[in-house]
Amino acid sequence: KRQPILMRMPESMKTQLQTLDDADIEAFKAACAEAAGRLTEFRADEGKKLYAFFKEKTSNIAALLEKVEPYEKDRVVKIKERLETQLSRLTSIEYDKGRLEQELIFYIEKLDVTEEKTRLRSHINYFLETMGGEEQRPAGGQGKKLGFIAQEMGREINTLGSKSNDAEMQKIVVMMKDELEQIKEQVLNVL
C-alpha cells in the first residue's frame, strides 16, 4: 500500500516543538479574549440591527395589509356588477335568478380574504413574539423557526394575491411579497 504524496515529501513527518515563554502565552490569551469580546459585541450589534430590520419589515407588511381593506369591499361590488352586466346582455337565455344569486354568493365567498388576513396578522405577531423583546433576546436557534414563520406568511400573502381579483390589491400584494422576501434573506443571518 502506497503512502499519500504528502507523507512521502522530505521532512513532512518531522515536527519542531517550540516552547513559548510565559509572556507569549499571556499575550496569546489576551489576544484570544479580546477577539472573543469583539465578536460578542459585533454579534450583539448585528442582532440589534436585525431586530430593528425585522420589526420594520413586519410593520410594513401589516400596514400594507390594512391598505387591502378598501379595495376588498369595492371589488365584490365590481365583480357583482360586472357579472350582472354580462348576464343582462344574454337576452335569449332564460336562467333562474334564485340559482344565480346562490352562485354569486358562493363565488363571492370563495373570494373572501378575511381568513387569510387573520392568519397573516397572526403569523406576523408570532414572528415578533419569536424574536423576543429588544432587551430580552430568545435563546439561540431561532433562525429556522423565523424562517418557517416567514414561509407561512408567504403562503397567506400568495393566497391573498390569488383571491384578490383586483389590480390595486395585487399591487399591494406584490409590495408585501417584496417586504417578505427581504425578511427571508435576512433570516438566513440569524443563528
Side-chain angles (χ1 to χ4, degrees):
K1 191 174 182 182
R2 294 189 67 188
Q3 290 181 336
I5 290 177
L6 183 62
M7 304 283 284
R8 289 184 283 162
M9 295 183 81
E11 298 186 27
S12 65
M13 298 304 288
K14 288 185 179 179
T15 60
Q16 291 182 351
L17 214 60
Q18 240 179 8
T19 57
L20 300 174
D21 60 17
D22 289 342
D24 288 338
I25 291 172
E26 289 307 312
F28 177 74
K29 285 180 181 179
C32 287
E34 183 182 346
R38 286 187 180 176
L39 175 64
T40 302
E41 284 176 30
F42 173 79
R43 288 187 66 199
D45 288 346
E46 191 67 17
K48 286 177 185 173
K49 289 176 188 173
L50 282 172
Y51 179 84
F53 177 83
F54 290 143
K55 287 274 288 188
E56 176 191 347
K57 294 303 174 183
T58 53
S59 177
N60 291 349
I61 291 172
L64 287 166
L65 186 58
E66 294 306 314
K67 288 183 177 182
V68 164
E69 197 126 346
Y71 298 109
E72 182 183 0
K73 292 173 184 170
D74 290 344
R75 106 194 133 103
V76 171
V77 173
K78 287 178 188 176
I79 291 168
K80 188 174 179 180
E81 286 173 357
R82 191 172 58 227
L83 287 171
E84 287 173 346
T85 302
Q86 294 294 333
L87 285 171
S88 69
R89 292 181 184 166
L90 301 173
T91 55
S92 63
I93 298 176
E94 293 263 335
Y95 58 90
D96 180 3
K97 289 193 187 256
R99 174 70 180 177
L100 173 65
E101 192 69 30
Q102 287 176 338
E103 292 296 327
L104 276 174
I105 290 169
F106 177 74
Y107 180 67
I108 290 169
E109 281 179 358
K110 285 190 76 99
L111 296 177
D112 183 35
V113 292
T114 305
E115 202 173 311
E116 287 75 16
K117 289 176 10 185
T118 302
R119 282 197 300 256
L120 181 55
R121 280 187 195 101
S122 175
H123 293 322
I124 290 170
N125 290 335
Y126 188 43
F127 189 93
L128 294 171
E129 181 185 307
T130 301
M131 280 196 318
E134 201 163 347
E135 296 303 317
Q136 173 221 344
R137 297 255 183 260
Q142 295 300 319
K144 279 190 176 193
K145 188 173 186 179
L146 291 173
F148 292 140
I149 299 167
Q151 192 174 9
E152 291 301 314
M153 289 166 60
R155 283 193 180 99
E156 300 308 330
I157 292 171
N158 285 335
T159 305
L160 187 68
S162 66
K163 285 184 167 186
S164 69
N165 232 7
D166 181 88
E168 292 305 314
M169 270 180 74
Q170 288 175 339
K171 285 179 188 175
I172 293 170
V173 166
V174 168
M175 289 188 277
M176 291 166 79
K177 285 182 179 186
D178 183 47
E179 296 291 327
L180 182 64
E181 195 57 39
Q182 292 175 47
I183 288 173
K184 285 180 176 181
E185 287 173 11
Q186 290 304 314
V187 161
L188 298 175
N189 294 323
V190 178
L191 300 175

